[in-house]
Amino acid sequence: LKALELPPSFGNRMVYRFFHRLAEANQSSILKSFLDHLLMMLLLFTPFFALWLKLIYLRHRSLFLLDHMVFILYNHALLFLLLLLAMLSEWAIEWNSFGFVLLLYGFYLWKAFKRFYGQSTWRRLFKFSLAGLGFMGMAILLFIINSLAAILLN
């Protein structure tokens, strides 16, 4: 910090240590650490997304937070199964089916929202979009937190 002519404050020391570790770290070890923490982060992410769905569907008094969590876990399990099948199809017959799988999953989610929440098309479209935006926002936040944890814990 003296060479950079910065005062030795707590914030400057933390930022310096972070970038020093980032510069010294091996990229493969950071990727391994990122993937090691990913499942734990996804499990920690589930209650927050369930709370988001509970806020979106607040007028459904018969649905509890746990119902939303089960719905999310079931859909995540299906997504991981479809992604596994996509990876196997790419390995076995060299057909890149990730786009098809994501399109199929999006269609499935649309139908699952209709069956689980039972709303009209326009209301479902609005709330499905809100859920998607919330999911993307939380996924970006999850990615940032997981990346920082991978760098700092490396």
Side-chain angles (χ1 to χ4, degrees), residues 15-27 30 151:
V15 170
Y16 179 77
R17 276 192 221 133
F18 173 76
F19 284 108
H20 186 68
R21 284 183 183 175
L22 184 61
E24 289 181 347
N26 185 358
Q27 288 181 354
I30 290 176
I151 292 169

Side-chain angles (χ1 to χ4, degrees), residues 79-99:
L79 176 64
F80 290 135
L81 178 68
L82 289 174
L83 289 175
L84 176 68
L85 292 174
M87 288 190 308
L88 289 175
S89 72
E90 187 174 355
W91 173 74
I93 58 176
E94 296 181 5
W95 177 54
N96 188 357
S97 60
F98 285 105

Side-chain angles (χ1 to χ4, degrees), residues 1-87:
L1 290 174
K2 289 179 184 177
L4 297 173
E5 298 178 4
L6 294 172
S9 67
F10 177 74
N12 287 342
R13 285 193 312 259
M14 291 298 291
V15 170
Y16 179 77
R17 276 192 221 133
F18 173 76
F19 284 108
H20 186 68
R21 284 183 183 175
L22 184 61
E24 289 181 347
N26 185 358
Q27 288 181 354
S28 63
S29 65
I30 290 176
L31 181 63
K32 182 184 179 313
S33 179
F34 178 83
L35 292 175
D36 287 344
H37 293 99
L38 187 62
L39 182 61
M40 181 182 63
M41 290 296 212
L42 281 174
L43 288 175
L44 291 175
F45 164 74
T46 303
F48 294 110
F49 188 58
L51 183 62
W52 176 248
L53 285 179
K54 179 67 178 167
L55 291 174
I56 291 174
Y57 291 99
L58 198 57
R59 301 188 91 186
H60 283 262
R61 303 261 186 233
S62 62
L63 293 175
F64 297 103
L65 186 63
L66 190 59
D67 296 326
H68 297 289
M69 284 185 67
V70 169
F71 180 71
I72 292 167
L73 289 173
Y74 179 78
N75 288 315
H76 279 158
L78 178 70
L79 176 64
F80 290 135
L81 178 68
L82 289 174
L83 289 175
L84 176 68
L85 292 174
M87 288 190 308

